[in-house]
Amino acid sequence: AQLVGTTGAGKTTLVRQFLGTDPATERFPSTSAAKTTTCDMELVLIEGEYRAVVSFVPKDQVRQMIAECVAAAAVSHLEKSNDSEVLRRFLEHSKQRFRLSYLLGNPLQVATKPGEELSDDEDEVAVTDTEELSEAERASLIEKVSGYVLAIKKLAESVRSEVTGVLGGDLVKATLQEREKFEEIVEYELFQHDDFHTLVDDILEDVESRFTILTEGTTTPGRDGWPTTWDYKTSDRQEFIRLVNRFSSNYAPNFGRLLTPIVQGIRVAGPFKPAWSDEVPKLVILDGQGIGHTADASSSVSTSITRRFQISDLIVLVDNA
């Protein structure tokens, strides 16, 4: 069954009903008002042990997205944006699928207290959500991110003279075409600087170090040493969900320890079943990014979704769940 629907329609909420994972106790897969599902997910309902295999975005693609985040933050600084906006542009890629905040930590993220509103990125806290970061580790991560932002601002200043005058100095009155031209020139100038590439490589190395948390299961490295897949199996349901959530979670207190943005696909299998069913149904659910997840005027349904129409027995259009 291939689930299709707009971003935030509730596809993953529906998946939880099929799996019988109670959001009050297990919270898998993650849901929120934001664009939570950022990779293809295949869920196989079958008797036996709980098994998972995760594939990762290739290293060169991750480096490219980091470079784009650094460039976007530099542009934001030159546009005289405030510090929080520069930080946001650095930690959240324009396509929103790639969020460095999940990998590096987010100085702007404040843990939600009981009774407070959840941010769009967050879901309710569950039993399987345990904070894996100490206060000291979180402070260290935030300090490092702040250092990256300072380096980005310094880089932006180094190209200011080359880009000054492109918009006549008035960004407020600039047209969309003028702004795009300005961003292109800033990006071009940045790519000429060795310091830019050194910074991007430092951030990439920092991201790669997050794979060291994968002490359980088996990680298979590619030729460049960057992991291609991780697989794991166990009969312990709670431990299984805790580990798999590292690849799909949006639990804010663990920002800096989540691999969600660099996951390409997840396949999960196990004796999941709806709470109202006595037996495990013979069902494979295909979930993924919502329509409109990536802003593209020329295409409303991506080929990654339509390709799977051919292998599906059933296409479920989720309007509002």
Side-chain angles (χ1 to χ4, degrees):
Q2 166 72 58
L3 300 189
V4 184
T6 54
T7 295
K11 295 184 297 301
T12 307
T13 299
L14 180 60
V15 168
R16 282 185 176 180
Q17 295 294 319
F18 286 127
L19 299 182
T21 53
D22 188 335
T25 58
E26 293 178 310
R27 192 177 166 269
F28 172 78
S30 292
T31 63
S32 81
K35 299 169 181 181
T36 313
T37 308
T38 58
C39 69
D40 293 330
M41 187 177 288
E42 187 173 324
L43 304 124
V44 184
L45 282 60
I46 191 170
E47 296 287 358
E49 287 188 299
Y50 292 97
R51 293 170 288 152
V53 61
V54 177
S55 61
F56 300 105
V57 177
K59 187 174 185 176
D60 59 340
Q61 286 185 31
V62 174
R63 189 188 189 282
Q64 179 61 31
M65 287 187 284
I66 291 171
E68 289 168 3
C69 287
V70 170
V75 167
S76 184
H77 175 68
L78 291 173
E79 290 177 341
K80 299 180 181 177
S81 300
N82 58 39
D83 288 349
S84 60
E85 178 62 15
V86 174
L87 179 64
R88 188 193 67 79
R89 293 279 291 273
F90 169 55
L91 292 178
E92 186 178 294
H93 194 277
S94 59
K95 293 182 179 177
Q96 294 189 335
R97 182 205 179 284
F98 183 72
R99 299 176 185 185
L100 277 170
S101 54
Y102 284 40
L103 295 151
L104 304 180
N106 187 355
L108 296 176
Q109 187 70 52
V110 179
T112 307
K113 295 175 184 176
E116 286 184 347
E117 288 286 320
L118 291 167
S119 75
D120 280 351
D121 267 350
E122 295 179 86
D123 191 3
E124 299 291 344
V125 178
V127 174
T128 48
D129 282 322
T130 54
E131 292 192 30
E132 297 187 10
L133 286 165
S134 66
E135 286 303 316
E137 286 174 315
R138 189 171 286 111
S140 176
L141 287 171
I142 289 172
E143 186 180 351
K144 206 164 191 179
V145 169
S146 300
Y148 290 143
V149 173
L150 283 173
I152 290 169
K153 289 180 178 179
K154 188 177 176 182
L155 272 169
E157 290 299 331
S158 71
V159 301
R160 184 183 287 279
S161 60
E162 285 91 339
V163 298
T164 300
V166 174
L167 301 181
D170 193 350
L171 287 162
V172 178
K173 295 180 181 178
T175 64
L176 180 62
Q177 288 81 2
E178 286 173 332
R179 280 179 174 273
E180 287 177 351
K181 183 182 178 184
F182 177 72
E183 289 178 15
E184 282 176 19
I185 293 171
V186 173
E187 193 168 310
Y188 173 79
E189 293 296 340
L190 285 172
F191 271 78
Q192 309 310 308
H193 280 247
D194 289 341
D195 288 347
F196 172 80
H197 295 286
T198 300
L199 177 60
V200 170
D201 286 336
D202 286 346
I203 298 168
L204 179 64
E205 192 175 316
D206 200 357
V207 168
E208 189 170 7
S209 71
R210 296 301 183 267
F211 286 116
T212 59
I213 67 172
L214 303 180
T215 53
E216 301 92 345
T218 304
T219 305
T220 305
R223 289 182 178 179
D224 56 2
W226 183 270
T228 55
T229 59
W230 174 87
D231 60 89
Y232 178 73
K233 64 179 179 178
T234 181
S235 55
D236 186 333
R237 176 172 170 138
Q238 190 166 318
E239 177 68 2
F240 178 78
I241 289 175
R242 183 184 75 83
L243 292 177
V244 173
N245 267 344
R246 286 176 175 170
F247 307 99
S248 63
S249 177
N250 58 354
Y251 184 52
N254 284 340
F255 279 11
R257 274 289 185 92
L258 300 177
L259 296 167
T260 309
I262 52 177
V263 170
Q264 191 159 266
I266 302 175
R267 176 178 285 141
V268 166
F272 294 103
K273 63 180 181 180
W276 37 263
S277 175
D278 294 327
E279 56 186 37
V280 177
K282 292 180 179 178
L283 183 64
V284 177
I285 305 166
L286 301 175
D287 191 15
Q289 295 183 36
I291 298 168
H293 202 306
T294 51
D296 186 349
S298 64
S299 168
S300 57
V301 185
S302 72
T303 53
S304 65
I305 295 174
T306 55
R307 271 202 310 268
R308 283 178 285 161
F309 286 172
Q310 298 167 24
I311 63 168
S312 303
D313 296 303
L314 185 72
I315 299 168
V316 183
L317 177 62
V318 182
D319 177 55
N320 185 351

